[in-house]
């Protein structure tokens, strides 16, 4: 009876996926299914989309994201005017969508509770994240005041794990 149950074909539970697999194959498939729902990495965007539609959403629909253009950019530069740093409220810059070595990266920069945070999210798995690292350098009046190297967050993890943050006063 157990052998019969192992061979029963089951559909993937993600609504837009058409895969039908054996039970043991289905569990593995659902973790990497292109149709699984993931949160948009736009800092203020609350939408969840199938992974297969996320890039189109980010570059065409999401008001919190912008594509930086050229393929294989190794660096995203975010120039911030002093006026943008003034005030005490929370705010975020547009999430930059970068394409590098066939992968898609989302660079997020925001201020919450008077702390600035930068984060890089990879449209990929935790194992793929281990193949890359990110670094950030913050300048004040043309002089580096903060530098950090940090790991990337895979798209399936919705909360930042380890990314550089610094107090607003450090940029004044």
């Amino acid at each position: 009876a157990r052998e019969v149950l192992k061979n029963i074909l089951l559909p993937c539970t993600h609504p837009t996926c058409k895969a039908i697999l054996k039970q043991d194959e289905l569990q593995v498939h659902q973790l990497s299914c292109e149709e699984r729902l993931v949160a948009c990495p736009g800092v203020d965007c609350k939408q969840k989309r199938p992974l297969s539609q996320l890039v189109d959403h980010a570059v065409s629909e999401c008001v919190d994201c912008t594509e930086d253009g050229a393929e294989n950019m190794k660096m995203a530069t975010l120039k911030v005017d002093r006026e943008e740093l003034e005030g005490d409220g929370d705010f975020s810059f547009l999430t930059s969508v970068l394409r590098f070595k066939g992968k898609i990266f989302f660079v997020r920069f925001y201020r919450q509770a008077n702390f600035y945070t930068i984060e890089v999210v990879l449209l990929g798995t935790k194992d793929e994240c281990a193949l890359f690292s990110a670094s950030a350098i913050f300048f004040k009046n043309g002089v580096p005041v903060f530098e950090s190297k940090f790991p990337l967050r895979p798209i399936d993890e919705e909360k930042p794990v380890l990314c550089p943050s610094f107090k607003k006063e450090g940029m004044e």
Side-chain angles (χ1 to χ4, degrees):
R2 236 181 225 161
E3 228 20 68
V4 172
L5 289 175
K6 280 186 181 178
N7 292 320
I8 292 177
L9 297 176
L10 300 168
C12 178
T13 59
H14 299 114
T16 54
C17 184
K18 308 275 188 250
I20 299 174
L21 304 158
K22 293 179 185 176
Q23 186 174 7
D24 60 335
E25 296 169 342
L26 184 62
Q27 291 171 336
V28 172
H29 163 81
Q30 292 196 145
L31 294 174
S32 61
C33 179
E34 290 291 311
E35 300 304 313
R36 71 189 185 277
L37 290 179
V38 293
C40 174
V43 173
D44 294 319
C45 186
K46 305 292 183 224
Q47 293 206 23
K48 287 193 173 197
R49 294 289 174 105
L51 182 67
S52 64
Q53 298 172 18
L54 185 65
V55 173
D56 285 341
H57 164 74
V59 300
S60 301
E61 300 170 9
C62 183
V63 297
D64 295 322
C65 295
T66 183
E67 187 165 24
D68 276 355
E71 178 78 27
N72 286 329
M73 290 181 64
K74 292 184 181 181
M75 173 185 319
T77 302
L78 180 64
K79 186 173 182 177
V80 181
D81 293 326
R82 186 155 302 282
E83 296 83 43
E84 292 180 279
L85 296 175
E86 292 177 2
D88 291 322
D90 295 349
F91 78 94
S92 58
F93 291 92
L94 291 178
T95 297
S96 296
V97 181
L98 303 176
R99 299 170 190 267
F100 180 70
K101 293 191 175 185
K103 298 290 181 193
I104 310 248
F105 301 84
F106 300 93
V107 181
R108 301 164 33 112
F109 182 57
Y110 53 92
R111 180 177 70 204
Q112 283 182 321
N114 285 328
F115 275 88
Y116 289 99
T117 301
I118 188 163
E119 176 187 24
V120 179
V121 180
L122 174 65
L123 187 63
T125 65
K126 196 173 212 165
D127 289 341
E128 289 172 310
C129 284
L131 301 173
F132 299 93
S133 68
S135 59
I137 304 171
F138 296 90
F139 295 86
K140 179 178 171 184
N141 300 322
V143 178
V145 293
F146 179 82
E147 185 171 352
S148 178
K149 200 170 210 175
F150 55 99
L152 281 62
R153 172 174 68 86
I155 193 72
D156 286 320
E157 293 179 13
E158 291 188 28
K159 298 206 186 246
V161 179
L162 177 65
C163 52
S165 291
F166 57 93
K167 280 193 137 203
K168 177 184 171 235
E169 291 77 25
M171 293 302 286
E172 293 176 342

